[in-house]
Amino acid sequence: MNKWLKCRSSESGSWEHREGIQARISELRALLNDREEAHRGDDEPERGRKVKLLEEARGELDKAEEAISPMHSPRYKNAAHVIVGRIHIDAAHNMLLRLSRKSEVLPMLPGVLAFLREHLLPGDPRRIEAERIARSVSEKNPPSEVEREILLEAMGVARQARVDEAMRVRSFVYIVWWIMLGLTALAVLITILGFVDPAAVPLCFTPEEPNGSAKVAVCPVEMNRIPKGTDPAKTRELVAGAAQGADYLIVELVGLVAASIAAAAALRRMRGTSTPFAVPLTLALLKLPTGALTAVLGILLMRGGFVPGLTNLDSSAQIIAWAVIFGYAQQVFTHFVDNQAQSILAAGGSGAATSAVPKTPLDLGDGES
């Protein structure tokens, strides 16, 4: 049982992302070991410098492994651990690039260039210079030390841009979560107040009977007959008697169900995300308390005569039906949040920098391109 619970704990949160990071750590460790073996015959000063870089790179990999470890923090499920792990892996990869000989940098250039095109704008001077270097090098003409420093600088900036993109997604998700929790608390508070004093703001209407002999106090749960000629004070008393504590609860539940259907329907336009942050789930959860509140507010607006011609509903069923419509109508408001989420995901996703594809492939062969 303990083994099962430990397994479940390790697979919670962004498990696939963490496994990908762990695989990348193993790959980089193997590459660092290979570089260490390949450079054992270097001169002592150069070898000493590279040994220090190797230690620093392995230290960064250790930090990345610690960041994604189940023992790192009680808040292990937080996707921020994945971002922190990637930051340390990026630092280790830059050190690997610095450790490599000029001829060893050459096979890494296509990956470097692809990463720069993904995260730097086409007009960025560092990306332009990196593309120039990639076009000019070959096996006979490997990158110089200056050119390697230019590539390292460009990679550092691109990796920081990727972190910034992830942080924007994280910030957006956190804002939506706090708004969702606030709306949920507000919906619960309204329900509690409805039970404490049902007659304070009743969700009731007073239509006339078909024969015009009397009026009826129609609420989501109960109905009361109001005889013709009843004075206003007695009318308010009869309406208050028909109001029940469950009125607000029922209307909010109906609005929540309608919002759930709207959230399911909205999934047809929502793309998945490769980020460790659950953006689609957060947007779907936001719709639920919003639907509960718009159902209540819509009924109150109708009761106040805001909608011409719909000032008096004739039955409890009509009130519930309109609560369904108003609950689904939350999509009008959350639609803007959905659009903003799509924009942020598009800006932080693959190909965010809208790269210009080269007309000819890079020539990394014997001759210059």
Side-chain angles (χ1 to χ4, degrees):
M1 184 65 178
N2 291 335
K3 184 177 180 181
W4 181 83
L5 291 174
K6 185 177 180 181
C7 180
R8 292 298 299 165
S9 174
S10 66
E11 292 186 5
S12 61
S14 306
W15 179 66
E16 295 87 352
H17 289 277
R18 293 196 297 272
E19 285 299 304
I21 288 176
Q22 185 62 58
R24 183 60 175 158
I25 290 172
S26 300
E27 181 184 7
L28 286 175
R29 279 208 174 108
L31 288 172
L32 289 172
N33 292 337
D34 180 70
R35 291 291 190 273
E36 184 177 23
E37 289 296 326
H39 298 169
R40 284 191 185 277
D42 291 349
D43 296 336
E44 188 60 33
E46 182 67 14
R47 187 170 179 276
R49 182 183 69 85
K50 291 185 176 179
V51 166
K52 290 182 180 179
L53 277 174
L54 281 166
E55 291 176 356
E56 291 292 333
R58 286 172 177 147
E60 291 295 330
L61 293 180
D62 291 339
K63 291 177 183 177
E65 203 163 34
E66 181 185 359
I68 63 171
S69 168
M71 305 303 175
H72 177 73
S73 168
R75 298 183 63 199
Y76 176 57
K77 294 181 180 181
N78 195 327
H81 289 82
V82 173
I83 305 301
V84 173
R86 286 176 179 172
I87 291 172
H88 290 298
I89 284 181
D90 288 343
H93 188 268
N94 253 24
M95 292 177 188
L96 173 65
L97 190 61
R98 190 178 295 277
L99 279 166
S100 303
R101 294 192 180 100
K102 296 177 182 180
S103 58
E104 294 169 336
V105 173
L106 202 60
M108 303 170 70
L109 268 180
V112 170
L113 197 59
F115 187 79
L116 296 181
R117 285 175 174 161
E118 183 177 347
H119 296 286
L120 295 182
L121 295 173
D124 191 295
R126 289 156 296 209
R127 171 175 161 177
I128 294 173
E129 188 65 15
E131 289 176 339
R132 182 197 64 77
I133 293 171
R135 287 192 298 268
S136 64
V137 296
S138 66
E139 289 185 5
K140 293 182 178 179
N141 182 33
S144 65
E145 288 296 331
V146 174
E147 289 175 332
R148 177 162 58 179
E149 290 300 321
I150 292 172
L151 293 174
L152 286 168
E153 173 65 17
M155 286 290 287
V157 173
R159 281 167 175 155
Q160 185 57 49
R162 182 173 68 174
V163 173
D164 292 342
E165 291 161 3
M167 293 305 295
R168 279 194 292 271
V169 176
R170 179 190 179 190
S171 176
F172 176 80
V173 169
Y174 280 13
I175 290 171
V176 174
W177 264 102
W178 280 111
I179 293 175
M180 183 270 293
L181 292 175
L183 292 177
T184 301
L186 184 58
V188 171
L189 178 61
I190 290 174
T191 303
I192 293 173
L193 293 177
F195 276 98
V196 171
D197 190 0
V201 186
L203 297 176
C204 302
F205 297 83
T206 55
E208 290 187 357
E209 290 186 337
N211 56 15
S213 61
K215 290 185 176 182
V216 182
V218 178
C219 301
V221 177
E222 294 288 343
M223 296 175 62
N224 262 350
R225 191 169 184 275
I226 304 174
K228 190 173 183 179
T230 304
D231 61 87
K234 183 63 176 177
T235 299
R236 286 194 296 270
E237 183 180 338
L238 292 172
V239 172
Q244 301 293 316
D247 288 347
Y248 276 90
L249 176 62
I250 289 175
V251 170
E252 287 190 0
L253 285 176
V254 170
L256 187 145
V257 171
S260 301
I261 297 173
L267 291 177
R268 74 185 189 278
R269 297 182 293 103
M270 179 59 66
R271 296 186 307 162
T273 172
S274 60
T275 67
F277 304 102
V279 179
L281 175 62
T282 305
L283 296 175
L285 291 177
L286 175 65
K287 297 177 187 297
L288 304 186
T290 306
L293 292 174
T294 54
V296 170
L297 293 176
I299 298 299
L300 289 176
L301 287 174
M302 292 182 68
R303 185 175 181 271
F306 184 80
V307 183
L310 292 173
T311 55
N312 281 320
L313 301 181
D314 298 331
S315 65
S316 299
Q318 287 190 10
I319 296 177
I320 299 301
W322 277 101
V324 172
I325 294 173
F326 287 125
Y328 196 94
Q330 54 74 36
Q331 190 67 20
V332 174
F333 305 101
T334 58
H335 173 71
F336 299 104
V337 183
D338 294 342
N339 290 343
Q340 181 65 15
Q342 293 287 13
S343 299
I344 291 176
L345 288 177
S350 179
T354 59
S355 62
V357 180
K359 295 180 180 179
T360 57
L362 296 179
D363 182 6
L364 300 182
D366 294 336
E368 295 185 6
S369 60

